[in-house]
Amino acid sequence: MATQAERCMKVVEDVSPPPGSVPTTSLPLTFFDIQFLGSSPFQRLFFYEFPHPTSYFMQTTLPSLKTSLSLTLQRFFPFAGNLVFPAPPQIPYILYTQGDSVSFFVNESTADFSHLAGDHARHFQEFQLILPKLLPAIACKTSSGCIQKMPFMAIQVTLFPNQGISIGVSFCHVAGDGRTLAHFMKSWASIQQSQGDLTCLNNPLPDFSSRDLIEDPLGLACLFMKRKWSFEDLSNNPIKKLRITCTIKRSQVELLKDLVTKGCVEDNGSEPVSISTFVVTCAYMWVCLTKLQETTVSQQISSADDSDELSYFLFAVDCRGHLKLPATYFGNCTIARTVAVKRSALMGENGIVVAGKAIGREVMETYKGPLKGAEREKFKSRHPPIMVSASPKFELYKVDFGWGRPRKTEVANIGSLGSLSLFSIAEGREEEGSIEFGLALAPHELDIFNSIFHRTY
């Protein structure tokens, strides 16, 4: 039965690349892809102002969106394909067969567009109606035996009549990383703006040929295959969480850089430290979320003094440059790096400096080799590790379908991994050089976090 926020208009279609435009193609998984086997679908939302009625949308906008998506899938055909699981010990692989498609949902909603696209606290459950669900894996019989096939992507366009449009994307992370998704979305938006004229595109074609150049000297593929189900922990029910967005202004970013730089000078440290916007803003959030844990999680875990326990921070490193792969490489090419600092140091007066120096040193270490230590298990703490998702370098506020820049874009699955304290990072929309954070908090954590965030610096 339709909810109060839905109307009767509902379209479900399959969108494929143009007939005959892409041959049947299989691609092997690299160890970068294999590390995401078993992970929950990645979800992102884009909100656009769209002051037009349903009739205009159905007659003009929707047909062109489907056409431009089809042309985009011609370039990014693996997203229309499937993840194939052959019988063990064979490794899963990507398969596109002519006629494969992306599930394309269209809904109409009477919900408050401005509310959903805001920065204030919104219930996690409110977003579920505007996010597509990936179809489950299905069993298929082949000449070589039984296999399972799982689709890579689903897209939902939701119209808020005379208010706006949201585009929700759910995709299996095995297919590609955040940079790959950003490339796909910018290409789709560009084709939509050009009304299908591929000669007007600003975005280069995705690169598939470099996949064969990725070597695995550390045997990470075998390791990741063994622990592939470790991130499917949904025990922390995300439906009960609240989503918020908080922003650090450009002037505050510069103050944080000055603070960490001064701390490095005073220590006379010989180790090089990267003091970038990413480093100092992540340091700030690491300290804020550690303090939040101290007021909530620690009380539940133990009453004993755990000030010498380590706090872990994880961030993903894009390895394309290190491996001399093009920026347009299609697939996953990131690896997690881990930083550990005593919780007492993060909670102290110089916590931001300590965090900034630790992250900055680890960033410098990645230039020597981002895969170093990737084979080791890293966590020895009773507290959940803190992890950042996405990157300001994706520049997702430039994804313009012809309706203007997004009113808002969010990583929609923040809060769905109970084993991690996860936040997203993006470039600020309103001011160049500012940074947006997205996170999901339990209701009792909201006021505590806001107090910490606004007084930490």
Side-chain angles (χ1 to χ4, degrees), residues 200-373:
C200 298
L201 290 184
N202 300 322
N203 295 286
L205 289 167
D207 170 76
F208 299 102
S209 61
S210 299
R211 184 173 291 260
D212 295 334
L213 302 178
I214 297 176
E215 299 178 347
D216 185 13
L218 299 177
L220 295 176
C222 182
L223 175 65
F224 292 151
M225 282 293 292
K226 291 179 181 178
R227 67 184 191 192
K228 63 184 179 183
W229 309 114
S230 59
F231 285 98
E232 250 192 337
D233 177 16
L234 303 178
S235 58
N236 226 5
N237 188 354
I239 302 301
K240 297 179 180 178
K241 291 192 174 182
L242 300 172
R243 297 185 54 85
I244 65 167
T245 302
C246 43
T247 301
I248 293 184
K249 297 179 180 179
R250 178 172 59 186
S251 59
Q252 295 170 315
V253 171
E254 295 305 317
L255 287 173
L256 288 171
K257 288 181 179 178
D258 292 342
L259 181 67
V260 177
T261 300
K262 182 180 178 182
C264 293
V265 171
E266 290 177 350
D267 283 355
N268 295 316
S270 58
E271 294 182 82
V273 177
S274 171
I275 305 177
S276 64
T277 296
F278 176 84
V279 167
V280 300
T281 54
C282 283
Y284 189 85
M285 282 296 287
W286 187 9
V287 170
C288 288
L289 291 175
T290 300
K291 290 180 178 179
L292 179 65
Q293 287 181 347
E294 285 298 307
T295 62
T296 56
V297 178
S298 292
Q299 296 174 7
Q300 301 170 19
I301 293 177
S302 172
S303 59
D305 181 16
D306 60 357
S307 60
D308 285 336
E309 189 174 4
L310 293 176
S311 174
Y312 293 92
F313 178 75
L314 286 76
F315 64 97
V317 175
D318 191 330
C319 301
R320 287 170 174 82
H322 175 76
L323 299 178
K324 296 182 172 55
L325 302 179
T328 56
Y329 170 75
F330 182 100
N332 290 286
C333 200
T334 62
I335 202 76
R337 300 288 298 201
T338 305
V339 186
V341 169
K342 284 186 177 181
R343 300 182 66 83
S344 57
L346 294 178
M347 296 287 293
E349 182 180 354
N350 297 317
I352 295 173
V353 174
V354 172
K357 287 163 60 178
I359 298 173
R361 289 194 186 105
E362 190 66 21
V363 168
M364 296 302 295
E365 284 294 313
T366 65
Y367 297 136
K368 301 176 184 178
L371 302 181
K372 181 181 178 182

Side-chain angles (χ1 to χ4, degrees), residues 46-287:
F46 295 83
F47 294 93
Y48 295 91
E49 293 180 348
F50 189 80
H52 301 289
T54 303
S55 57
Y56 178 88
F57 170 79
M58 294 295 291
Q59 295 168 12
T60 304
T61 307
L62 181 57
S64 62
L65 272 177
K66 292 189 294 184
T67 298
S68 58
L69 176 58
S70 175
L71 292 171
T72 308
L73 290 172
Q74 179 180 345
R75 294 173 151 226
F76 293 82
F77 63 87
F79 280 146
N82 292 275
L83 177 60
V84 177
F85 294 88
Q90 299 177 79
I91 295 177
Y93 58 93
I94 296 169
L95 177 65
Y96 172 80
T97 303
Q98 291 191 58
D100 283 348
S101 60
V102 165
S103 295
F104 187 75
F105 304 89
V106 182
N107 278 345
E108 183 178 1
S109 174
T110 59
D112 186 341
F113 173 81
S114 295
H115 168 70
L116 291 175
D119 293 342
H120 56 280
R122 295 142 296 154
H123 287 281
F124 195 96
Q125 192 170 6
E126 294 181 79
F127 294 91
Q128 302 312 299
L129 293 176
I130 60 175
L131 285 168
K133 289 181 171 56
L134 278 176
L135 296 176
I138 59 172
C140 303
K141 289 185 178 180
T142 67
S143 58
S144 57
C146 187
I147 63 171
Q148 284 196 322
K149 294 169 61 177
M150 185 172 71
F152 276 121
M153 180 176 280
I155 294 173
Q156 179 169 324
V157 177
T158 302
L159 173 68
F160 303 81
N162 302 308
Q163 298 182 73
I165 286 176
S166 69
I167 297 180
V169 181
S170 296
F171 81 106
C172 175
H173 211 324
V174 178
D177 53 23
R179 183 178 290 275
T180 296
L181 180 64
H183 188 191
F184 169 80
M185 292 300 300
K186 289 176 182 177
S187 296
W188 182 16
S190 181
I191 293 174
Q192 170 73 8
Q193 276 212 59
S194 69
Q195 298 181 337
D197 184 356
L198 301 183
T199 63
C200 298
L201 290 184
N202 300 322
N203 295 286
L205 289 167
D207 170 76
F208 299 102
S209 61
S210 299
R211 184 173 291 260
D212 295 334
L213 302 178
I214 297 176
E215 299 178 347
D216 185 13
L218 299 177
L220 295 176
C222 182
L223 175 65
F224 292 151
M225 282 293 292
K226 291 179 181 178
R227 67 184 191 192
K228 63 184 179 183
W229 309 114
S230 59
F231 285 98
E232 250 192 337
D233 177 16
L234 303 178
S235 58
N236 226 5
N237 188 354
I239 302 301
K240 297 179 180 178
K241 291 192 174 182
L242 300 172
R243 297 185 54 85
I244 65 167
T245 302
C246 43
T247 301
I248 293 184
K249 297 179 180 179
R250 178 172 59 186
S251 59
Q252 295 170 315
V253 171
E254 295 305 317
L255 287 173
L256 288 171
K257 288 181 179 178
D258 292 342
L259 181 67
V260 177
T261 300
K262 182 180 178 182
C264 293
V265 171
E266 290 177 350
D267 283 355
N268 295 316
S270 58
E271 294 182 82
V273 177
S274 171
I275 305 177
S276 64
T277 296
F278 176 84
V279 167
V280 300
T281 54
C282 283
Y284 189 85
M285 282 296 287
W286 187 9
V287 170

